[in-house]
Amino acid sequence: MYVYLVLFAVLSYLVCIKCIYNRQWHALRSSLKRTFNVSSERKTVGADVRALVVTAHPDDECMFFAPTIIRLVELNASVHLLCLSEGNYYHQGSQRREELLKSCAVLGIPASRVTIINHEKLPDDPKAEWSVSLVSSAVLRLVTDRCINMVLTFDGRGVSGHANHVAIYKAVRHVASTGELPKECVLLALETIGLLRKYTSFLDLPFSWFLPSHLHCVVGPKGYKQAKAAMLCHRSQLLWFRYLYITFSRYMFTNTFQVVPQGPKNLKIY
């Protein structure tokens, strides 16, 4: 009897995941319509989205944001990427720049929409304290120049806890507090989740689906292969533990975002 109960529970869980895959397109479109106050009667919304993904290093775009980029591109959204360093920690900056452009091409972002910053005050270094004002200026400049209406980046815990990731969130919060952003621009932060859920692959989908979030992006087997292909473009970073990440990380299958509130907040600016 116990075996049958376990089997029933497993099958029910897998059916739930299948239902999520079937519903995710409708849910994504509905979330975008709510975000941009688009009429629910409109069949398309992707063309209204001009998204900027802000990352710290080459490979962040596919390690953490691949499901979102893939889905937005499929909806014909205009997706741009701002990478705030070349990833030169091991003096591989030139190689990693080329790997980033190849990865973006796989994900559907043309090179003309990729901006890579190489600034001495923004080194690829977990011990470095990035300038909030410098990062916020770079973000604001691209938002203005490219008419961006959605900015997606890390949350306050940076997904992996990397100091450079956290610095971007602080910079985005600063931009949100200044009132300089266009009124229609929405700021979204990628949720950091616990270690156990982080490495449960697609099995995390029901938790991500039913827990509250502002935007939820999911990819199936085809999207996962695309995300994996983008990861494999970063040849210089493919150590043994990266293959484990590709196999087990839920960020290869799903992203959940929360809104970054806009309004005054005390931040240390330097």
Side-chain angles (χ1 to χ4, degrees):
M1 184 64 178
Y2 177 76
V3 173
Y4 288 113
L5 287 175
V6 171
L7 183 61
F8 176 77
V10 171
L11 290 176
S12 298
Y13 198 81
L14 294 177
V15 168
C16 180
I17 291 174
K18 177 64 175 177
C19 291
I20 289 172
Y21 279 131
N22 292 337
R23 288 278 301 166
Q24 58 90 20
W25 268 117
H26 173 75
L28 177 58
R29 289 191 179 97
S30 297
S31 295
L32 291 174
K33 287 178 180 179
R34 287 195 304 271
T35 298
F36 296 107
N37 294 318
V38 175
S39 171
S40 60
E41 297 178 358
R42 285 188 55 181
K43 293 183 179 181
T44 60
V45 69
D48 299 308
V49 178
R50 297 180 301 279
L52 175 65
V53 180
V54 185
T55 64
H57 320 105
D59 77 10
D60 288 348
E61 79 290 341
C62 51
M63 282 188 69
F64 306 114
F65 296 94
T68 302
I69 294 172
I70 290 169
R71 285 309 188 201
L72 289 178
V73 168
E74 289 176 345
L75 285 173
N76 296 318
S78 176
V79 181
H80 301 253
L81 180 79
L82 170 61
C83 185
L84 289 158
S85 79
E86 287 189 326
N88 201 36
Y89 188 73
Y90 292 108
H91 308 291
Q92 298 173 310
S94 298
Q95 179 181 354
R96 297 198 67 187
R97 173 186 284 266
E98 294 303 315
E99 290 171 348
L100 173 60
L101 294 175
K102 291 178 182 178
S103 171
C104 286
V106 170
L107 294 173
I109 306 176
S112 60
R113 294 180 184 171
V114 179
T115 302
I116 306 171
I117 293 179
N118 181 25
H119 196 289
E120 61 181 6
K121 292 185 178 179
L122 299 175
D124 173 14
D125 187 345
K127 298 179 180 179
E129 194 170 9
W130 280 9
S131 167
V132 170
S133 60
L134 184 60
V135 174
S136 59
S137 296
V139 172
L140 187 58
R141 182 167 55 251
L142 265 186
V143 167
T144 304
D145 292 347
R146 306 288 177 90
C147 299
I148 300 297
N149 59 9
M150 176 187 285
V151 176
L152 307 110
T153 192
F154 300 100
D155 68 3
R157 292 188 289 168
V159 180
S160 63
H162 198 295
N164 299 162
H165 298 178
V166 176
I168 297 177
Y169 175 77
K170 291 179 179 178
V172 169
R173 284 291 290 118
H174 171 60
V175 172
S177 70
T178 63
E180 298 180 79
L181 280 173
K183 292 182 179 179
E184 69 275 11
C185 188
V186 178
L187 306 177
L188 298 175
L190 180 65
E191 279 190 304
T192 299
I193 61 171
L195 192 63
L196 180 61
R197 283 184 56 201
K198 183 176 180 179
Y199 291 108
T200 52
S201 187
F202 65 89
L203 296 176
D204 181 65
L205 290 180
F207 295 97
S208 299
W209 183 263
F210 292 111
L211 291 173
S213 62
H214 186 82
L215 184 68
H216 185 199
C217 298
V218 179
V219 293
K222 180 181 177 182
Y224 169 73
K225 290 180 181 178
Q226 187 176 352
K228 180 179 178 180
M231 279 287 294
L232 293 178
C233 290
H234 294 278
R235 304 298 300 178
S236 65
Q237 306 303 300
L238 291 179
L239 303 175
W240 66 269
F241 56 85
R242 290 297 173 92
Y243 289 100
L244 293 177
Y245 183 93
I246 291 171
T247 304
F248 294 108
S249 174
R250 60 85 83 167
Y251 289 98
M252 297 292 290
F253 292 91
T254 184
N255 291 153
T256 50
F257 294 85
Q258 300 293 351
V259 172
V260 177
Q262 300 194 39
K265 184 176 177 65
N266 293 325
L267 283 173
K268 178 183 177 183
I269 308 302
Y270 45 89

